[in-house]
Amino acid sequence: MMKLQFDPNQQFQLDAVSAVADLFEGQPQNAPEYSVIKTGSLGDLFAGHEQTELGIGNKISITDDKLKENLRAIQLRNDIESTQSELETWEHFDIPANQPRPIPHFSVEMETGTGKTYVYLRTIFELSHRYGFQKFTIVVPSVAIREGVLKNIEITAEHFKALYNNKAFEYFVYDAKKVNRLRHFATSNTLQIQIINIDSFRKNFTGTDDERKSNVIYKESDKLSGRQPIEFIQATRPIVIIDEPQSVDGTEKSQEAIKALNPLMTLRFSATHRNAYNLVYKLDPVKAFELRLVKQIVVASAIGDTSANDSFIKIEEIEYKKGIKAKVRIHVQSKDGPKEKAVAVKQGDDLFHKSGELAIYQNGYQIAEINAEPGSEYIRLSNGKTLRLGQEVGGIRDDIWKVQIKHTVKKHLEKELQVQARGIKVLSLFFIDRVANYRDYDSEGKPIAGKFAHAFEEAFKELAKEERFKDITWLKEPIDKIHDGYFSKDKKGALKDTNGSTQADDDVYNLIMKDKERLLSIGEPLRFIFSHSALREGWDNPNVFQICTLNESRSAIKKRQEIGRGLRLPVDQTGVRVFDESVNKLYVMANESYEDFARSLQTEYEEDCGVTFGKVPVTAFAKLLTIVNGEEKPIGKDAAEAIKASLISQNFIDKDGKIQPSFDPKKTGFKLTLPTEFSDLVPSVVDLLSQHQIEKHIRREKDERINRFKKEVALSPEFQALWGQIKPRTTYRVEFKTDDLVAKAVEAINKMPNIEAPKIRVDAGAVNTGKGGVTTRAVSSAIESPVNNTKSIPDILAYLQNETELTRSTLVKILKTSKRLDEVFVNPQKFMDQVASIIKYELHRLLIDGIKYEKLAKDAEDSEWQMVLFKNEELIDYLSSLEVKKSIYEHIVYESEVEKEFAKTLDEREDIKLFVKLPAWFKVETPIGSYNPDWAIIKQDGKAFYLVRETKSTKDFFKLRTSEADKIRCGIQHFKELGVDFDIVVNANEV
């Protein structure tokens, strides 16, 4: 079975982890993996955690003021707006009564498909590694998500052990039948991760004492020496991670139950927070699309002819709470002809009048009876026809869903042709709202295929005969092996309809989760999955490339939930994530128009995530970057206002920042100008406005076209010569002098801000006993600085060795020469953290500056890039491509206006014989990740010159010391080894 691989260096995930971990900057290091040097008789300064008779608990040593200071800094860093009142709102938990410290909530928002679970699991390890927090409780809303969390811990265990020095940890699911496990959870000094469903401790929480104690977690247990299981959780002061908080603690009862866990804090992770308390990191849908962290959405529509030649009726709703009435969908006359529309009806109404007097409803369509009895709802017409709830007659709906199925199967097979050579399994997901449409039962109760299954098999058999699909090997599998349904079952094992929130639903989601890796294996024939429209968060699969909505009515579930099942980037058979944009497209076969689908999805994004497509805030302009004295800096608010005013004057945006129709970069003659001092930012501004248009992320199916690979050009002597120059692969080594590292690190440490002593918060309160019980009242609060009488310190060298991987002798030399070592006694942990950060930064600089590349030996495996990796007849988005003559593809796919203008000019210049935009798989390995160069070019000037160029909006980019600039520095050394000219250019005239 395939094994999923995880990239530990995805910057957006590292940013999310750091956003939480940096909240506790200044917290002493309590991790037991660091030894302690004893220097006196006062004990170990950082000996561990808070301990009670029931177990070992987490402990925060920094003050609330420091925590709030850290929070403000993180929010500023991550462009998150906050107000003083929000920062000061810390919720006071009343359980237990002797816990005076307010307990805060922190939130992380990450769009579906970007690795939210991975991030909070890594956050657990990071908090344990940095600060020694050892007790974590993950609260989930459902069995489906619980199974997903368990699967994620299982498949990431080795990955996290490799990242965190083989750190020992244990994880378990709370089980009311195994409450003794909580004793170990409480008393163990190793990292403990508990997963618990909210219903396990919410049930009967606010009931009477007897009702409350009917829930095992609140019931005294002989196995626990007469203690309640919840007491052992409370003793650990767990860091509570809430997965999908909008589903976990949306009620007061749930919130009180969370408080009962006595958490040190709560960390809330979701894509759709209802209340984003103290937000520290935000990756909204727009940003996820911009960073290409999810698939682009391609929407196809199957809409029937609106000509009303038959009396179409669909019974959508029958209710009795405010009088017996119904909602039916019929054809209604409009100025543009008959349209489907839902209308409200009551007994005695005539559909002839409701339809605008369409002739097809003229005789026999009065509502004779509406029966609202639950379970047997129906409407009887005056012509004697009886239609049950959900039933429809007339129209061409059957033809529509047959077309939907056929086109989804066709898209699936075409995707197979595109990716089969790359070892990528393709899955398609069909949503249906009635199980009987896929799997029905005959009079004897034996299962038979429903109408959707019949239509699927007919379409599949027809398409499989096409010559172009003959090389797809799995087409020879028995047809019943390649499609299957995941549905809930009744007690007799028969499939049934559910609403998505029952125990039966949990059982089937559990099954889907356990099949996740099997479904990803090419050897597993199952490729087409039919499931209930109630399928909710908790199941998705990275290799779902097609989603087809076969609901007999417009889907009631949210668009975000629907497409969320297929947004994740795919993986190949080695378990490695695929980042190829030509592959990463999610095809949605909708049963509504593209416009309706896009409008609904856009509305959900705006309502759920607070993002607004088509509207550019002034803060977005303020973040545009310019070069000042060799440093890349945001242009700031004043410059942003000037640029905004210029765009308003040109009618590209209005005063609210909303993009106007006149902004159309693809239109012939389009021109955007800015004041002279900002003229170099024109391409960046055009890209910024383009990124805020919904068409950038959701597009019509018909926008896609074939980008033909020109074999005749690829086989030409010119391209063969160019490819021969750039195809060798290299390996690198780094050279630097230890004395240089010591000198640079010492210089930087000497400039380090003074280390401040930790502060101690002193809270005082009055305790009153009355008839109503024991109450507390805050009296005073003060902050004191401790006397500097430290008698023991951590093993500084062990800590710095672990962080930097340098030898102890080098570290001793740096520390002694810096003459700042005395400050370790002021605040040991802060001293170690700041010194480690400085040393790593200077080491990184020397590694890049001292890097040397060497060609791999020709007999070495993968010693050069293979031309076969260029894909023939690649599918591309024509809206972001430019037709050219002098390349190996008919179109150049560009990512910015800079690239577009560059390619256009190259194609026009007579001295440029050939140019290629290097594909994403063409990479140069560096110590800080892979680098993908932009362009390979042949220039003819008496003789042929073979060039590689990187396009940037400014030449000063090369003065920067950012990770991107450092990768390009490595690229220079790589191409220097190959003897190929490399440079950064702003436009094609510089080539």
Side-chain angles (χ1 to χ4, degrees), residues 154-167:
E154 176 187 322
I155 62 182
T156 57
E158 291 183 16
H159 170 77
F160 288 132
K161 283 185 175 181
L163 284 179
Y164 291 96
N165 290 331
N166 206 32
K167 186 176 186 63

Side-chain angles (χ1 to χ4, degrees), residues 139-158:
V139 181
V140 298
S142 66
V143 171
I145 293 181
R146 186 194 72 192
E147 289 301 313
V149 174
L150 278 174
K151 175 61 73 172
N152 270 280
I153 296 177
E154 176 187 322
I155 62 182
T156 57
E158 291 183 16

Side-chain angles (χ1 to χ4, degrees), residues 353-398:
H353 298 302
K354 290 283 184 179
S355 69
E357 300 189 349
L358 285 175
I360 55 175
Y361 298 107
Q362 192 162 6
N363 297 309
Y365 288 91
Q366 294 88 4
I367 307 298
E369 181 185 359
I370 301 178
N371 183 20
E373 182 182 347
S376 60
E377 300 97 328
Y378 66 82
I379 285 179
R380 183 168 57 84
L381 302 174
S382 59
N383 61 15
K385 287 183 180 179
T386 298
L387 284 80
R388 298 196 173 276
L389 181 63
Q391 188 178 354
E392 68 178 70
V393 294
I396 57 171
R397 189 62 59 88
D398 283 359

Side-chain angles (χ1 to χ4, degrees), residues 194-349:
Q194 175 188 212
I195 306 105
I196 186 169
N197 192 310
I198 182 66
D199 287 332
S200 298
F201 61 101
R202 176 175 57 189
K203 185 180 178 182
N204 295 332
F205 178 78
T206 56
T208 65
D209 286 345
D210 288 341
E211 288 173 334
R212 181 181 166 95
K213 289 187 178 181
S214 68
N215 187 333
V216 171
I217 203 166
Y218 303 112
K219 188 176 182 179
E220 290 87 352
S221 171
D222 291 339
K223 295 178 181 179
L224 299 174
S225 305
R227 296 279 194 170
Q228 299 174 18
I230 190 94
E231 293 183 67
F232 288 87
I233 299 177
Q234 292 170 344
T236 67
R237 300 300 318 281
I239 293 176
V240 173
I241 292 174
I242 305 180
D243 194 329
E244 306 293 355
Q246 73 281 1
S247 299
V248 169
D249 65 355
T251 66
E252 185 176 346
K253 183 178 179 180
S254 299
Q255 293 163 12
E256 292 299 318
I258 295 288
K259 294 176 186 179
L261 298 177
N262 190 29
L264 191 71
M265 72 198 72
T266 67
L267 305 177
R268 306 158 66 84
F269 289 78
S270 177
T272 53
H273 286 282
R274 188 173 289 121
N275 295 300
Y277 302 108
N278 297 311
L279 190 64
V280 295
Y281 182 78
K282 182 173 184 175
L283 179 64
D284 63 30
V286 174
K287 190 173 181 181
F289 280 124
E290 287 174 0
L291 296 177
R292 294 164 176 82
L293 303 177
V294 292
K295 298 188 184 91
Q296 185 187 40
I297 303 165
V298 180
V299 181
S301 304
I303 305 297
D305 187 351
T306 58
S307 58
N309 298 314
D310 191 10
S311 54
F312 166 69
I313 306 174
K314 169 71 181 286
I315 311 302
E316 292 194 336
E317 184 180 317
I318 296 176
E319 63 115 355
Y320 58 88
K321 292 181 181 178
K322 295 182 180 180
I324 296 178
K325 54 188 177 181
K327 184 165 69 175
V328 301
R329 183 168 290 275
I330 61 174
H331 285 130
V332 176
Q333 186 65 272
S334 73
K335 63 179 182 179
D336 299 319
K339 302 282 187 184
E340 268 191 37
K341 184 179 179 181
V343 297
V345 297
K346 60 183 184 299
Q347 187 174 348
D349 282 348

Side-chain angles (χ1 to χ4, degrees), residues 338-573:
K339 302 282 187 184
E340 268 191 37
K341 184 179 179 181
V343 297
V345 297
K346 60 183 184 299
Q347 187 174 348
D349 282 348
D350 192 334
L351 297 185
F352 175 65
H353 298 302
K354 290 283 184 179
S355 69
E357 300 189 349
L358 285 175
I360 55 175
Y361 298 107
Q362 192 162 6
N363 297 309
Y365 288 91
Q366 294 88 4
I367 307 298
E369 181 185 359
I370 301 178
N371 183 20
E373 182 182 347
S376 60
E377 300 97 328
Y378 66 82
I379 285 179
R380 183 168 57 84
L381 302 174
S382 59
N383 61 15
K385 287 183 180 179
T386 298
L387 284 80
R388 298 196 173 276
L389 181 63
Q391 188 178 354
E392 68 178 70
V393 294
I396 57 171
R397 189 62 59 88
D398 283 359
D399 297 300
I400 290 174
W401 57 253
K402 286 178 181 177
V403 168
Q404 287 182 272
I405 290 173
K406 182 175 181 179
H407 276 261
T408 303
V409 174
K410 179 168 74 74
K411 280 292 177 181
H412 183 113
L413 297 178
E414 288 173 348
K415 179 63 75 171
E416 288 277 358
L417 290 181
Q418 182 188 5
V419 303
Q420 65 177 351
R422 301 176 63 173
I424 300 174
K425 171 81 173 280
V426 178
L427 297 173
S428 291
L429 179 61
F430 295 85
F431 281 116
I432 68 176
D433 53 4
R434 294 184 65 236
V435 173
N437 286 336
Y438 178 75
R439 184 75 73 234
D440 209 346
Y441 295 88
D442 62 18
S443 59
E444 298 179 359
K446 295 180 180 178
I448 57 175
K451 63 181 184 179
F452 289 163
H454 277 303
F456 169 81
E457 294 191 356
E458 288 175 7
F460 181 82
K461 289 175 182 177
E462 179 185 342
L463 288 164
K465 294 176 183 177
E466 292 189 15
E467 180 68 17
R468 58 179 173 151
F469 299 133
K470 66 178 182 179
D471 294 329
I472 301 177
T473 56
W474 57 265
L475 293 182
K476 300 179 179 64
E477 295 278 354
I479 196 166
D480 62 334
K481 298 290 186 184
I482 66 171
H483 70 103
D484 201 358
Y486 286 89
F487 307 104
S488 304
K489 297 180 180 180
D490 61 21
K491 293 181 180 179
K492 296 181 180 179
L495 303 179
K496 63 178 183 178
D497 294 317
T498 53
N499 63 12
S501 59
T502 67
Q503 179 62 47
D505 287 299
D506 288 337
D507 292 341
V508 71
Y509 300 149
N510 186 4
L511 175 63
I512 294 175
M513 285 307 305
K514 289 184 176 178
D515 279 347
K516 187 169 186 176
E517 286 170 306
R518 178 175 69 83
L519 287 174
L520 285 170
S521 172
I522 284 181
E524 164 56 50
L526 179 61
R527 281 165 168 81
F528 299 89
I529 301 166
F530 288 78
S531 194
H532 203 282
S533 59
L535 185 65
R536 60 179 187 262
E537 72 262 70
W539 183 82
D540 54 29
N541 192 296
N543 287 27
V544 170
F545 287 97
Q546 291 76 225
I547 290 178
C548 179
T549 304
L550 292 174
N551 304 348
E552 291 187 314
S553 61
R554 299 289 174 89
S555 175
I557 63 174
K558 284 196 167 188
K559 297 288 177 287
R560 292 192 68 208
Q561 184 176 333
E562 197 172 85
I563 65 172
R565 307 293 69 100
L567 278 181
R568 287 187 186 275
L569 297 184
V571 296
D572 61 21
Q573 289 302 285

